[in-house]
Each structure stands twice: as structure tokens, then as C-alpha cells.
Amino acid sequence: MASNPALVVRLVSASVMIANRAGSIIREIMKAGDLGVVHKDKAKTDPQTEADRKAQRCIVASLSKRFPGVAVIGEEELTQDEESLLEMGDSEEVLKVECPADLKDVQPSEVCIWVDPVDGTTEYTQGFLDHVTVLIGVAVNGKAVGGVIHQPYYNYQAGPGAPMGRTMWGIVGVGCFGCDHRDRAGGKRVITTTRSHGTEAVQETIDAMQPDEVLRVGGAGHKVLLLLEGRASAYIFASPGCKKWDTCAPQALLNAMGGKLTDVHGNLYEYHKEVKHRNMGGVIAAYRNHDFYLSRVPQSIKDQLPAA
């Protein structure tokens, strides 16, 4: 363990353990058989489950108790705290890393944490369990610098007794850990995009990329995981649909690995606590060749979407 670890390192260390605990909660609720689904919109396209609510209470309460003075913003509205949900452990793996010089003196007031307790709720309710992730992103002075992506159902189809779930974490300037990046796309240009929020603008933008294959999956976290593992070349979403809690952790991990996530104009998203929650400028993300994908976005599409 590094002596007196910096705040950012301690935040990511705690977030690894908290995300693991949230993943257990998500699996327990699914196993119990009552998801407690309510809808946050009249069209019933934005479901919320007991897993969303309980996992967020775990994450927000645990972070707030351990790191007073740090802003924590979650997707769901909190109604109660439960002492039994607190996770106070640390990841020894994270605590061993050396904090980058530019992050060593970060103060709590400079930090905002963005939480999506169940990214891919629709897929969770429909049984597409490998699409589900827990996202905890750490931003300093508006910049995504660290985070955790936990996949509670990783390996869930491997059979009885197989270990389930995995956690990836990263800090910009340190690296991204927990996933093995290889060219699993076989040299093809593989685009990943939304499974359930497609529009003509999204499709027109994807067509302009001239992909060999398109993977339509749920969850921003899951899409970026496909980039981190080399299963997809780029994540394209030319629409103002996703929120800051969807992209903070994925952006940090992708940046930590050397990739990039921006709006359709090439601007990085900011994550200070006063920022608007919606990402109005869409998403262009890639592990490499980000400039190519950005250059292929039709000007007519850029004109429709405001800059971040």
C-alpha cells in the first residue's frame, strides 16, 4: 500500500468495493423474483427497479459517510438510508498504485462522483444480463479522472459454480485494470450503439462510418466495455439521450487506457456538480482512431446537436 494514499486513489479503492457490493444487491433482487418495477415516465420507457433504488442507497450512503465534503450525484432519487447497506472496505490493489502528480493534492470540494447504480435497467428487466453494469465515476474540477465499471452478471452463462461478476477500474495517468484488451474484432470496423433508443440521426451517423458490423446493445457502460476489450472499434450515439452518470466512469476508464470519449463536436464532457445532467451533444468514443470517427459525423448531424 502506498503511504498515505491520495484522495483520488482512496475514492477509487472504496468505489471498487462498493460497486462489488452493489452488484451483489442487484443479483440478490433478481434471484428473489420481484424486481419492484416502477416507471419514471408516462410512456413507460424508463423503468426503475428495486435494484436501482437499493444499489444507489448502498453506493451514495457509503461514499458520503466515508468522504464527507465530496459531492455525490446519482441517477435515482434517494428516499432512505440503511446502515446495513454501508460498504466500508478498500481494494488493496488500488491502494498500491502511485497517484499521478497532478491528482495528489485534490481536495474534497474539487470532487464530484457520478453514480449509475444499474446502467441498463431495461435490459436487466428483459433478461439481457450481460448488458448490466454499475458505474461510479470520479471527476476532479469537472474532468473525469477515475472510475469503476462493475459487471455483476459477467460469466453468468458459464454454468453452476462458475465465478460471476467482474470489476474494472482506472485512473487517468495510472491505467485501466480488470479487462484484457485484444483485437477481438479481427481487424473489422465494428460499431456499437444503442439497442433501444435509435433514431434516424443515429443510423445516418453509423452509416457514415461504413462499419463492417454493428452491435446494438444496452447500457453506456457495456458499450465502452466492448471498446476496452477490443470487441468493438467505436461507440456511436448521435443523440442527446444519455446522462453524465452514464458516461463519467466509462470516459475515465477509456481515457486511462488511451482512448477518448467526446461529443459529436470533439469536446470532452465536464462533470462538475453544477453541470446539466443530460449529454446534449451525443457520444463518439473509440479506443484508437477517434479522429477518424469524429471526421465521419455528417455536418447535418453536428448542426442538430449542441456542443458540450
Side-chain angles (χ1 to χ4, degrees), residues 57-183:
R57 292 200 300 274
C58 166
I59 297 167
V60 174
S62 300
L63 288 170
S64 298
K65 188 174 183 68
R66 293 195 60 180
F67 303 99
V70 168
V72 183
I73 300 175
E75 178 177 7
E76 314 303 342
E77 293 185 8
L78 287 177
T79 56
Q80 65 187 86
D81 285 340
E82 294 181 32
E83 198 74 20
S84 63
L85 294 178
L86 292 177
E87 172 56 59
M88 308 301 284
D90 279 298
S91 165
E92 295 299 323
E93 177 189 17
V94 180
L95 291 179
K96 290 176 182 176
V97 304
E98 181 69 25
C99 186
D102 61 328
L103 297 176
K104 280 187 175 179
D105 298 321
V106 169
Q107 299 301 306
S109 61
E110 299 175 276
V111 177
C112 186
I113 300 178
W114 293 84
V115 174
D116 193 340
V118 183
D119 184 43
T121 298
T122 297
E123 286 70 28
Y124 179 65
T125 64
Q126 295 175 350
F128 295 93
L129 300 180
D130 51 336
H131 296 201
V132 176
T133 58
V134 178
L135 305 177
I136 304 177
V138 178
V140 172
N141 295 320
K143 180 182 178 183
V145 300
V148 173
I149 301 177
H150 174 71
Q151 195 175 18
Y153 287 100
Y154 175 74
N155 214 29
Y156 82 104
Q157 293 176 316
M164 192 185 302
R166 63 171 173 170
T167 303
M168 288 129 286
W169 63 274
I171 299 174
V172 175
V174 175
C176 180
F177 304 87
C179 62
D180 170 29
H181 183 86
R182 288 184 278 126
D183 179 16

Side-chain angles (χ1 to χ4, degrees), residues 3-276:
S3 59
N4 193 23
L7 176 60
V8 169
V9 172
R10 289 187 284 116
L11 281 166
V12 174
S13 168
S15 295
V16 166
M17 303 304 288
I18 293 167
N20 289 344
R21 176 71 181 279
S24 296
I25 290 169
I26 291 165
R27 291 191 297 268
E28 287 166 4
I29 290 171
M30 173 66 76
K31 188 175 181 180
D34 182 6
L35 297 185
V37 178
V38 297
H39 291 277
K40 295 185 284 186
D41 62 336
K42 291 182 179 180
K44 295 186 176 182
T45 60
D46 191 8
Q48 180 198 80
T49 70
E50 178 60 18
D52 295 88
R53 298 184 287 271
K54 194 170 182 179
Q56 176 154 312
R57 292 200 300 274
C58 166
I59 297 167
V60 174
S62 300
L63 288 170
S64 298
K65 188 174 183 68
R66 293 195 60 180
F67 303 99
V70 168
V72 183
I73 300 175
E75 178 177 7
E76 314 303 342
E77 293 185 8
L78 287 177
T79 56
Q80 65 187 86
D81 285 340
E82 294 181 32
E83 198 74 20
S84 63
L85 294 178
L86 292 177
E87 172 56 59
M88 308 301 284
D90 279 298
S91 165
E92 295 299 323
E93 177 189 17
V94 180
L95 291 179
K96 290 176 182 176
V97 304
E98 181 69 25
C99 186
D102 61 328
L103 297 176
K104 280 187 175 179
D105 298 321
V106 169
Q107 299 301 306
S109 61
E110 299 175 276
V111 177
C112 186
I113 300 178
W114 293 84
V115 174
D116 193 340
V118 183
D119 184 43
T121 298
T122 297
E123 286 70 28
Y124 179 65
T125 64
Q126 295 175 350
F128 295 93
L129 300 180
D130 51 336
H131 296 201
V132 176
T133 58
V134 178
L135 305 177
I136 304 177
V138 178
V140 172
N141 295 320
K143 180 182 178 183
V145 300
V148 173
I149 301 177
H150 174 71
Q151 195 175 18
Y153 287 100
Y154 175 74
N155 214 29
Y156 82 104
Q157 293 176 316
M164 192 185 302
R166 63 171 173 170
T167 303
M168 288 129 286
W169 63 274
I171 299 174
V172 175
V174 175
C176 180
F177 304 87
C179 62
D180 170 29
H181 183 86
R182 288 184 278 126
D183 179 16
R184 293 176 169 89
K188 294 181 179 179
R189 185 178 301 151
V190 179
I191 303 296
T192 184
T193 191
T194 180
R195 174 177 167 266
S196 55
H197 296 89
T199 65
E200 288 185 10
V202 171
Q203 189 58 51
E204 182 182 345
T205 306
I206 291 170
D207 290 344
M209 309 291 172
Q210 298 181 317
D212 297 305
E213 186 179 351
V214 178
L215 302 177
R216 302 183 188 278
V217 303
H222 180 51
K223 294 180 186 71
V224 171
L225 277 185
L226 296 178
L227 304 184
L228 297 177
E229 289 192 316
R231 298 183 188 278
S233 315
Y235 163 24
I236 306 298
F237 186 56
S239 171
C242 63
K243 309 292 199 309
K244 295 295 186 297
W245 44 73
D246 295 315
T247 55
C248 185
Q251 181 173 325
L253 266 67
L254 191 58
N255 288 354
M257 188 178 268
K260 197 170 185 180
L261 184 153
T262 69
D263 69 5
V264 299
H265 305 279
N267 299 311
L268 295 173
Y269 279 110
E270 294 190 358
Y271 298 95
H272 52 80
K273 62 184 178 182
E274 294 87 8
V275 77
K276 291 182 179 179

